[in-house]
Amino acid sequence: GESVGLHLPTLSVQEGDNSIINCAYSNSASDYFIWYKQESGKGPQFIIDIRSNMDKRQGQRVTVLLNKTVKHLSLQIAATQPGDSAVYFCAENSGGYQKVTFGTGTKLQVIP
Amino acid sequence: SAVISQKPSRDICQRGTSLTIQCQVDSQVTMMFWYRQQPGQSLTLIATANQGSEATYESGFVIDKFPISRPNLTFSTLTVSNMSPEDSSIYLCSVEVRDRTDTQYFGPGTRLTVL
């Protein structure tokens, strides 16, 4: 079947290492940001979100960092596991309702 | 969160025909969205579907090509009309759930190939 990661930038990480996936967003008026994980053959799955009044938020094994000055978002995954292999998308809310604009995506490959 | 299903999961169609994709959610939601994801690409919003009103289309997408229905708070359909090979994509529906995250949850997608 077709792969959603066919033309996306790829990050290869050794199992057990930490992963950092970066994203530059475009709209300085965006006030809500989300990271999604998309495994092959599936729809995007919500991982973690952050609002613009914060610069860091932690979840289980994941941390999102927001730098509004340079419009940069990152997702850190601790102790990366083979099950983390997927395409990761950042998304920003840039509308009055929950209109979400997706970034280009990064394919994470975990090397056992 | 919400459990979202789509039908069909995949299809292969001939050019010039139309396909209707169904999206069902397990709870009542106000806003549903339809996205397109072309091979190796990110997601692009096609339209927003609210129950009881006309769908709102994004730039580059028109109702004649992608008619949408939203008959109730748990169901929506997207039709891809007069298909061409350029319409080959994954089509995803999503819903906004007003829980702690206040974000969108996605269905599994419909993989469409147009010959």
Side-chain angles (χ1 to χ4, degrees), chain A residues 2-4 6-8 32 34 36 38 41-44 46 49 51 57 89 97-100 102-104, chain B residues 31 33 35 37 39-43 45 48 58 89-90 92 96 100-108 111:
Chain A
E2 54 190 4
S3 166
V4 299
L6 197 61
H7 306 298
L8 298 171
Y32 179 58
I34 315 106
Y36 286 93
Q38 187 175 27
K42 298 182 179 180
F46 171 89
D49 59 351
R51 297 198 179 272
R57 188 149 189 249
F89 293 99
Y97 53 91
Q98 292 295 333
K99 176 180 173 179
V100 174
F102 279 78
T104 54
Chain B
M31 303 186 75
F33 306 86
Y35 287 83
Q37 185 175 29
Q41 303 290 323
S42 185
L43 285 77
L45 181 64
T48 302
E58 297 299 306
S89 280
I90 301 170
L92 298 126
E96 179 191 86
R100 184 197 62 76
T101 62
D102 201 26
T103 190
Q104 289 183 29
Y105 295 89
F106 284 81
R111 283 150 188 79

